[in-house]
């Protein structure tokens, strides 16, 4: 019976027993701030169970899509590594709202499993609540199972609160539950609730009590039923599979993922197989979350989705997939699951686009991170990078992991995922400590994000005495004024000062200034203050005290400074002019975006600096390349038309009535400046060029998503735009030279090279597979016996650390009671890989980490890893053959030590 048939049979069975069929709700809970996502089949009925809402009827049945990736129910780390953990899953459930209770629930469950799904009664066991902490045992359910089903009483087992008592929360409805377990067969070990042999398939919750704030239980006036059966689990049981991933639904998705990525799926326990399962699972979650309206973001649900998507992309990179694939994988899910969830087909185009955009943003980071991690693996003997744990496992330092994140954008999650595959762990506590220290360092820097708050705190009480700084910088870039107040930076705060000497960091307020204080996205000016033997380098200018004070932030470079001194003010003219070009360009860009995309476009933020501009605006989707090109062309048309830039002062209402647009985040008083340049009119307090022709040229260089419904364009104007164009042309000519073709033919030549590379790569992989097979045969043929164990040890002609590890793993899987140690010379250093067959690991007689550590000592190195597979390195290349000859003796010693 296929998964779709099981779902259909479940709904039809309970519909025939007077249950209202309720469609699956969205993964996003409605009016429930306690949950990020629907994580159980009963969530849409919570209010009905508590009495806050009317139920859909006395009885209901549903197949509810659920997600468990955060909070108490967090299965993310186990996905792909165990047979039954998923992020997204479907929960089949039947519900009674004060109608039927235990007897009917047990009878329905038995009849559906045995008569409809044809599961063998002999493979079913049942658990009930045995009582704990003053809570009475559920003797009713214990008596009902044998009486209603005819099963043997010894098939009914009692367990405590952790397994068999359910609560909606610390207070509210609760009650005992009865779980149904299925025997997967004697090929697995374990018993009910322990080990792998017995799989829980259905949980019947008997809500019969209400718990008050004191913990006291009182019987509910209308006891209810809430059941949950994982569709993926019951499908694997019905189809005779040991893993949910072997069921038909996952098999279809995995086959699609295999086609999309070009990677074969063997269904085993290898790292590659785990990665394939992670991608299949995460593609399902990605598709349904996107279809339900969740978009990747930095916080909340969007952050969880981004984490899932980036985990999938990371696993693809670990598999060697060198092109975007996530959008296609999501398309596979649409094909497999849209019959059950039609919203997938309805939103296919949008979800594919969102998946492609997120992968494009993240892939560059992943590829750079992988390169940096590979570099670190060549430093195995460096104690500042690696250490050994209590069981000999190799640990990457938290400081190094943080440097990968902070400098190269490589997320901790990716570093840890690579570690799982390559036999090391990451010091995550150390990573978090470094993260905290970095935040503290940023907070203490006056140039950091805390500076505005520090300035406001210091100058707020002085605002009344100091008055308002008069800004003269619209017309002038030089001036002279008296220092009204001075503070000196100390640690992470400001202290009032009557004197500052050479090297002191200071924050000055003057009577008037031509220095523009950072506002409206435009950066603050830099420059110099000089006079009477004093020179101050102004490194930034900011507004504080509600924008009324302009503060010059910098350092005393010469002389001694004190309040009351008159100083000559000189703005860095060339920098100001580049900033002004970028600011005027934002106005033209805003106008062009509204012309091309529509009047819904409005500014949502900006950055205007010397080297570039960034402009955020409202728009529901990515801007097509053709539309972006049209926007750029329109901006440059307005530049060539050389419109004079005008300013006038008026009141805000009159300005808006005349068609002026307000910039996001800018604060306006009773009087505003209206800046006009051709068809563009904006309310703006910033500084601008005299005419649009002063911009020279504007180049749009990037477009992407900032948040849901907000896009971002980055651009260069003036000299930076010209320099960018020169660099691009020079780079194209260099590329053409390397490719030995004309610049106009570069793309065609690259296409030819890609095809050649694909063919060569396929041939190399074929040759390497043949070579690895012959190497494995030679090494196995030379195996010796030690303590009843086959020991394979030797030098392998391998040129890559991962291939050495894979070969060792392949040999260990070839026969039981096998120990493998392989060595190779890579970059004039020793690389070692050790592997131990699963039966020996289970016996606890020998661990790969211990073995490789002792061999590594003989070549001047160290290492460690998992019990079944570990790696190490060393410096003594000449000593490698002799060290490998010692392996049988080391195996005997380790086996003897474990026996004693």
């Amino acid at each position: 019976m296929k998964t779709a048939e099981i779902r259909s049979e479940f709904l039809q069975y309970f519909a025939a027993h007077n249950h209202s069929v309720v469609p699956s709700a969205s993964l996003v809970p409605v009016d429930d701030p306690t949950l990020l996502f629907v994580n159980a089949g009963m969530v849409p009925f919570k209010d009905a169970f508590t009495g806050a809402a009317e139920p859909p009827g006395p009885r209901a049945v549903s197949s509810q899509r659920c997600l468990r990736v955060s909070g108490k129910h967090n299965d993310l780390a186990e996905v792909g590594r165990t047979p039954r953990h998923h992020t997204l899953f479907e929960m089949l459930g039947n519900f009674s709202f004060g109608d039927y209770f235990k007897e009917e629930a047990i009878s329905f469950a038995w009849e559906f499993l045995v008569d409809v799904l044809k599961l063998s009664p002999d493979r079913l066991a049942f658990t009930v609540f045995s009582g704990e902490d003053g809570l009475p045992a559920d003797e009713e359910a214990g008596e009902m199972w044998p009486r209603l089903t005819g099963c043997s009483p010894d098939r009914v087992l009692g367990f405590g609160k952790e397994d068999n008592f359910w609560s909606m929360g610390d207070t509210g409805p609760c009650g005992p539950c009865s779980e149904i377990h299925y025997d997967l067969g004697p090929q697995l070990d374990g018993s009910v609730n322990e080990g792998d042999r017995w799989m829980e398939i259905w949980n019947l919750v008997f809500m019969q009590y209400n718990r008050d704030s004191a913990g006291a239980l009182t019987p509910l006036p209308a006891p209810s039923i809430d059941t949950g059966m994982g569709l993926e689990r019951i499908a694997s049981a019905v189809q005779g599979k040991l893993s949910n991933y072997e069921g038909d639904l996952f098999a279809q998705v995995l086959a699609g993922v295999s086609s999309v990525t070009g990677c074969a799926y063997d269904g085993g326990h290898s790292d590659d197989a785990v990665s394939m399962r992670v991608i299949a699972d995460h593609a399902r979650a990605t598709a349904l979350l996107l279809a339900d309206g969740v978009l990747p973001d930095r916080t909340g649900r969007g952050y969880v989705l981004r984490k899932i998507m980036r985990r999938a992309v990371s696993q693809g990179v670990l598999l060697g997939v060198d092109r975007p694939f996530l959008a296609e994988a999501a398309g596979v899910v649409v094909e497999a699951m849209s019959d059950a969830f039609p919203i997938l087909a309805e939103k296919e185009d949008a979800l594919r686009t969102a998946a492609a955009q997120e992968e494009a943003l993240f892939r560059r980071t992943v590829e750079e991170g992988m390169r940096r991690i590979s570099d670190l693996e060549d430093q195995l003997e460096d104690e500042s990078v690696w250490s050994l744990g209590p069981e000999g496992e190799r640990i990457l330092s938290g400081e190094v992991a943080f440097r990968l994140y902070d400098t190269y954008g490589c997320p901790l999650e990716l570093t840890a995922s690579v570690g799982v595959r390559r036999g090391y762990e990451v010091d995550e506590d150390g990573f978090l400590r470094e993260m905290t220290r970095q935040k503290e360092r940023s907070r203490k820097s006056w140039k950091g994000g805390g500076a505005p708050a520090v300035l406001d705190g210091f100058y707020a009480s002085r605002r009344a005495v100091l008055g308002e700084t008069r800004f003269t910088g619209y017309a002038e870039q030089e001036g002279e004024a008296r220092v009204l107040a001075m503070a000196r930076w100390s640690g992470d705060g400001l202290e009032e000062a009557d004197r500052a000497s050479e090297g002191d960091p200071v924050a000055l307020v003057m009577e008037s200034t031509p220095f523009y204080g950072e506002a409206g996205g435009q950066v603050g000016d830099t420059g110099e203050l000089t006079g009477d033997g004093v020179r101050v380098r102004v490194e930034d200018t900011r507004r504080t005290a509600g924008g009324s004070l302009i503060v010059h932030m910098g350092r005393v470079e010469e002389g001694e400074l004190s309040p009351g001194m008159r100083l000559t003010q000189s703005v860095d003219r060339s920098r100001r002019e580049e900033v002004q070009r970028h600011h005027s360009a934002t106005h033209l860009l805003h106008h062009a975006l509204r012309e091309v995309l529509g009047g819904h476009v409005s500014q949502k933020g900006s950055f205007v600096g010397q080297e570039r501009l960034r402009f955020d605006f409202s728009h529901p989707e990515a801007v097509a390349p053709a539309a972006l090109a049209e926007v750029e062309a329109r901006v440059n048309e307005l530049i060539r038309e050389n419109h004079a830039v005008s300013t006038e002062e008026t009141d805000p209402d009159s300005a808006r009535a005349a068609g002026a647009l307000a910039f996001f985040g800018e604060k306006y008083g009773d009087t505003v400046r209206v800046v006009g340049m051709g068809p563009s009119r904006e309310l703006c307090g910033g500084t601008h060029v005299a005419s649009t022709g002063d911009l020279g040229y504007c180049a749009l260089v990037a477009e992407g998503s900032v948040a849901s419904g907000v896009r971002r364009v980055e651009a260069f104007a003036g000299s930076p735009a010209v320099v960018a164009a020169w660099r691009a042309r020079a780079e194209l000519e260099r590329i053409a030279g390397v490719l030995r073709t004309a610049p106009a033919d570069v793309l065609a030549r690259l296409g030819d090279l890609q095809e050649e590379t694909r063919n060569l790569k396929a041939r190399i992989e074929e040759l390497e597979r043949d070579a690895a097979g012959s190497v494995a045969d030679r090494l196995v043929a030379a195996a010796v016996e030690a303590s009843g164990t086959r020991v394979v040890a030797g030098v392998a002609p391998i040129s890559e650390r991962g291939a050495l590890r894979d070969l060792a793993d392949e040999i260990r899987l070839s026969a039981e009671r096998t120990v493998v140690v392989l060595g190779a010379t890579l970059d004039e250093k020793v690389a070692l890989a050790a592997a131990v067959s699963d039966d020996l690991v289970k016996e606890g007689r020998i661990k790969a980490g211990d073995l490789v550590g002792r061999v590594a000592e003989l070549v001047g190195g160290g290492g460690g890893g998992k019990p079944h597979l570990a790696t190490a390195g060393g410096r003594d290349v000449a000593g490698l053959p002799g060290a490998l000859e010692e392996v049988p003796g080391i195996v005997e010693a380790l086996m003897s030590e474990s026996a004693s």
Side-chain angles (χ1 to χ4, degrees), residues 400-610:
V400 172
F402 179 75
R403 189 164 69 244
L404 286 170
Y405 165 76
D406 191 44
T407 306
Y408 306 108
C410 184
L412 175 64
E413 195 167 67
L414 173 62
T415 307
S417 294
V418 176
V420 169
R421 294 173 69 93
R422 299 187 181 178
Y424 66 80
E425 298 176 5
V426 178
D427 177 11
E428 296 191 13
D429 289 341
F431 175 93
L432 294 174
R433 283 194 299 271
E434 288 302 306
M435 175 78 81
T436 300
R437 287 172 186 158
Q438 193 251 25
K439 290 179 178 178
E440 183 67 15
R441 287 193 296 269
S442 295
R443 187 179 69 83
K444 288 185 175 181
S445 170
W446 66 260
K447 283 190 171 182
V454 173
L455 287 172
D456 280 343
F458 181 81
Y459 279 112
S461 61
R462 295 162 173 82
R463 160 72 174 87
V465 175
L466 297 174
E468 184 170 348
T469 306
R470 183 166 57 89
F471 178 59
T472 62
Y474 291 129
E476 304 291 340
Q477 295 185 30
E478 292 187 353
E480 184 178 310
R482 186 166 58 91
V483 177
L484 296 181
M486 182 175 74
R488 191 164 41 214
W489 287 89
S490 174
D492 58 356
L494 282 171
E495 57 184 22
E496 191 163 7
D498 57 10
R499 193 171 301 279
S501 303
E502 185 175 326
D504 284 343
V506 293
L508 310 175
V509 173
M510 308 181 77
E511 294 172 307
S512 62
T513 183
F515 283 77
Y516 184 82
E518 179 178 325
Q522 180 176 333
V523 298
D525 280 332
T526 61
E528 279 190 345
L529 306 173
T530 58
D532 198 16
V534 174
R535 181 161 56 90
V536 178
R537 165 57 55 185
V538 178
E539 298 171 343
D540 195 6
T541 309
R542 302 208 180 188
R543 291 180 179 268
T544 189
S548 61
L549 297 178
I550 298 176
V551 183
H552 308 75
M553 302 165 66
R555 292 183 184 275
V556 178
E557 293 191 336
E558 291 181 12
E560 196 168 81
L561 178 68
S562 60
M565 295 182 70
R566 292 193 67 83
L567 300 178
T568 299
Q569 304 156 317
S570 301
V571 172
D572 184 333
R573 187 179 296 270
S574 62
R575 180 179 181 273
R576 161 76 83 84
E577 289 171 353
E578 293 292 0
V579 172
Q580 289 180 162
R581 290 187 184 101
H582 284 112
H583 198 162
S584 297
T586 63
H587 286 228
L588 299 182
L589 179 58
H590 194 181
H591 178 80
L593 285 166
R594 289 171 64 84
E595 273 192 359
V596 174
L597 302 181
H600 65 280
V601 169
S602 63
Q603 185 181 359
K604 295 297 181 184
S606 69
F607 168 82
V608 178
Q610 178 184 7

